[in-house]
Amino acid sequence: MTTKTQELKLDIERIGAVSAILTQPDQPRACYVLAHGAGADMRHAFMEKVAAGLADRGIATFRFNFHYMEEKKGRPDQPAVAHAAVRAAVAEAARLCLGVLLVAGGKSFGGRMTSQAQSKAPLPGVKGLAFLGFPLHAAKKPSSERAEHLAGIAIPMLFLQGTRDELADLGHLKPVITSLGAKARLHEVEGGDHSFAVLKKSGRTNEEALTEVLDTLAAWIDQIA
């Protein structure tokens, strides 16, 4: 399968332009708008691996930088600014992948900003949200307040979570997902941390754990299609 990568600029209304990358296999059956985490940009190795792995599975990805990351500022954008970036990315992905199933979400902070944007006003054309490690709370401070907005989302949601994720205590996350009903699904990556890395004693590699994540994500996308 041939994969094409395009380096792009994404214009965010009243905020400015940021870098973006479209990774697109031949005749993709879906496009995933993939937002980065708080501490690393769209070119981080994790993001690259996800984009490449999904392309191998026939799914395009549209990555982009949040404005603070583009400007190399240390503090993440205010939610309204991050939400605007998500909306611009969704609109551009829909334009570039015309007629293709559209899902959105991302890694940690990026996934949460996407869900917040969706809860405030549905992202046009987006049929589902997928979270690669939803950051339910700060490390060692279990709570579920960051998930309150999820109740306002009507489309399907997939939570891919490592069982060692210090930002998502499963004792708090599982009741949240149960409360969301049939629209939400949790997939636990045994032994995975916030980035799905596993311990050597687990008997498998980080690559094998990421393969599980990508296979699960691709299968879920096919289900909502």
Side-chain angles (χ1 to χ4, degrees):
M1 182 180 295
T2 302
T3 299
K4 181 173 64 175
T5 299
Q6 292 178 259
E7 298 274 348
L8 305 164
K9 282 293 183 182
L10 176 67
D11 289 320
I12 308 171
E13 188 175 0
R14 295 191 297 276
I15 295 170
V18 298
S19 301
I21 300 173
L22 175 65
T23 303
Q24 190 172 18
D26 292 335
Q27 299 181 329
R29 65 181 185 277
C31 180
Y32 180 35
V33 181
L34 174 60
H36 64 73
D41 70 6
M42 65 174 183
R43 298 182 189 277
H44 186 270
F46 178 86
M47 301 288 284
E48 296 278 3
K49 289 176 182 178
V50 169
L54 289 178
D56 288 343
R57 291 162 175 80
I59 298 168
T61 54
F62 185 88
R63 287 175 279 159
F64 62 98
N65 279 340
F66 286 107
H67 189 255
Y68 78 96
M69 191 62 74
E70 186 77 8
E71 298 296 317
K72 296 181 170 54
K73 297 178 180 178
R75 184 184 295 273
D77 296 324
Q78 291 295 313
V81 175
H83 299 167
V86 170
R87 291 189 181 281
V90 165
E92 186 67 0
R95 186 185 72 82
L96 294 170
C97 298
L98 191 63
V100 169
L101 177 76
L102 199 61
V103 296
K107 180 76 181 78
S108 194
F109 169 82
R112 185 162 64 94
M113 291 301 101
T114 302
S115 62
Q116 286 182 358
Q118 175 71 24
S119 72
K120 290 183 177 297
L123 297 164
V126 171
K127 302 302 183 184
L129 301 180
F131 309 110
L132 306 178
F134 188 87
L136 187 63
H137 51 73
K140 300 181 181 179
K141 295 182 179 180
S143 72
S144 57
E145 292 177 3
R146 289 182 178 177
E148 290 175 354
H149 69 282
L150 296 174
I153 296 174
I155 59 177
M157 289 175 277
L158 174 65
F159 295 78
L160 292 148
Q161 303 286 155
T163 59
R164 292 191 302 116
D165 190 340
E166 294 186 349
L167 304 187
D169 179 88
L170 290 176
H172 285 74
L173 183 61
K174 285 182 177 180
V176 167
I177 294 175
T178 298
S179 72
L180 295 172
K183 64 185 176 182
R185 176 187 167 192
L186 170 65
H187 179 87
E188 298 177 38
V189 179
E190 184 61 40
D193 65 8
H194 191 54
S195 295
F196 309 112
V198 294
L199 300 173
K200 287 184 178 180
K201 66 181 181 181
S202 70
R204 62 175 179 164
T205 65
N206 293 342
E207 288 72 23
E208 289 170 334
L210 185 58
T211 293
E212 176 186 339
V213 168
L214 297 176
D215 284 346
T216 302
L217 175 54
W220 174 80
I221 289 172
D222 288 342
Q223 288 172 1
I224 66 172

